Amino acid sequence: MADLTALATDPAAWAALLTLIVMEVVLGIDNLIFISILTNKLPEAMRPKARALGLGGALLMRIALLFTLSHLAGMKDVVITLFDHGFSWRDIILLGGGLFLVYKATSEINHSTEHKDENGDKKPQVKIGFASAIAQILMLDLVFSIDSILTAVGMTDHLPIMIIAVLVAVFLMFVASGPISAFINRHPSIVMLALGFLLMIGMVLIAEGFGAHIEKGYIYAAMAFAGFIEALQMFSRGRAKKTSDHH
């Protein structure tokens, strides 16, 4: 209790907490985009429940990992060597998650661009089962959770600060999940942009699995710039539509 009181009165602890919350929210964006795209393939009535279960799984995995920090540190130890390169459990998980993201993103992009079947008829939207959606979300939750917690461990040594930051970040993701899913569902061009983000994140995870360090700031700056350009495009299309309606 004394430790918690000391942290509550320490300005450095508050600064670390706010910084970590921002970092956790930023790292959670890719997780949220994947959940939004996947749950939008479910019947509308099931989507809120699927999003809640997906984010609940993300929260539980992050908290569980925080309480196993000693084991988490061991995930960086080499367990297998291939072609003179050592791979740890963390590398293997990142590789698997990256390959899965690349597969999902490319298959979704392919379906989005191939609008017609062999007879020239428009292809129906691919639907998935509830259990399949939850299983895929939880699998990616594990990958994103490890990335998130390793970042938290690198920023502070205080477990209460890490737990509070994770709780706040996942709560903010939960609040934003509904509007973001609805927005993505309404705008096909945003879907393609989001899939492009997931494809890029998948490639980054694969690179990190092979030991290459890629500064996340560059990735998110590129995503923000692409989002800004798409927002300008949407504004331009909206203005053009209003002009044509008036005529």
Side-chain angles (χ1 to χ4, degrees):
M1 190 58 126
D3 291 340
L4 291 176
T5 304
L7 282 176
T9 55
D10 183 2
W14 283 98
L17 176 62
L18 291 174
T19 304
L20 194 50
I21 287 173
V22 172
M23 286 297 297
E24 290 295 317
V25 169
V26 171
L27 289 171
I29 290 173
D30 39 19
N31 202 168
L32 193 53
I33 290 173
F34 181 78
I35 289 174
S36 298
I37 289 176
L38 207 58
T39 54
N40 280 343
K41 290 185 167 296
L42 293 170
E44 195 165 347
M46 292 184 178
R47 292 173 190 172
K49 184 179 179 182
R51 287 195 299 268
L53 285 173
L55 289 170
L59 176 61
L60 291 175
M61 286 183 189
R62 282 162 168 78
I63 298 296
L65 287 170
L66 282 173
F67 282 102
T68 57
L69 290 180
S70 58
H71 297 291
L72 194 62
M75 291 187 71
K76 293 185 178 181
D77 297 335
V78 173
V79 293
I80 187 173
T81 302
L82 293 173
F83 306 109
D84 296 326
H85 181 80
F87 293 92
S88 65
W89 279 117
R90 174 181 177 271
D91 295 333
I92 294 168
I93 290 172
L94 289 178
L95 277 170
L99 288 170
F100 179 71
L101 262 187
V102 168
Y103 163 73
K104 286 297 294 182
T106 51
S107 61
E108 291 294 330
I109 289 171
N110 178 63
H111 183 266
S112 297
T113 53
E114 297 291 331
H115 294 295
K116 296 182 179 181
D117 58 21
E118 295 176 353
N119 298 321
D121 297 324
K122 190 174 181 181
K123 285 184 179 180
Q125 183 181 6
V126 175
K127 297 290 184 181
I128 58 174
F130 186 82
S132 173
I134 297 301
Q136 292 180 57
I137 289 171
L138 290 179
M139 189 173 84
L140 261 296
D141 277 346
L142 175 62
V143 178
F144 290 131
S145 293
I146 289 174
D147 197 23
S148 168
I149 297 308
L150 287 174
T151 299
V153 171
M155 293 183 66
T156 180
D157 296 325
H158 301 294
L159 185 61
I161 290 177
M162 288 187 270
I163 292 175
I164 293 171
V166 166
L167 288 171
V168 172
V170 174
F171 173 75
L172 292 175
M173 288 166 61
F174 182 79
V175 171
S177 63
I180 288 177
S181 293
F183 185 75
I184 288 176
N185 197 41
R186 286 197 307 269
H187 299 89
S189 60
I190 292 293
V191 173
M192 191 61 68
L193 184 64
L195 289 171
F197 289 163
L198 291 179
L199 183 60
M200 179 171 63
I201 292 162
M203 294 303 294
V204 169
L205 290 176
I206 291 172
E208 290 190 346
F210 279 104
H213 176 69
I214 299 175
E215 190 62 47
K216 291 293 198 319
Y218 297 123
I219 304 299
Y220 292 114
M223 289 170 64
F225 181 73
F228 174 70
I229 297 300
E230 181 58 31
L232 290 178
Q233 292 273 34
M234 290 172 63
F235 178 74
S236 176
R237 287 194 295 267
R239 290 288 298 271
K241 187 175 185 301
K242 285 183 181 179
T243 303
S244 63
D245 288 344
H246 285 312
H247 292 292

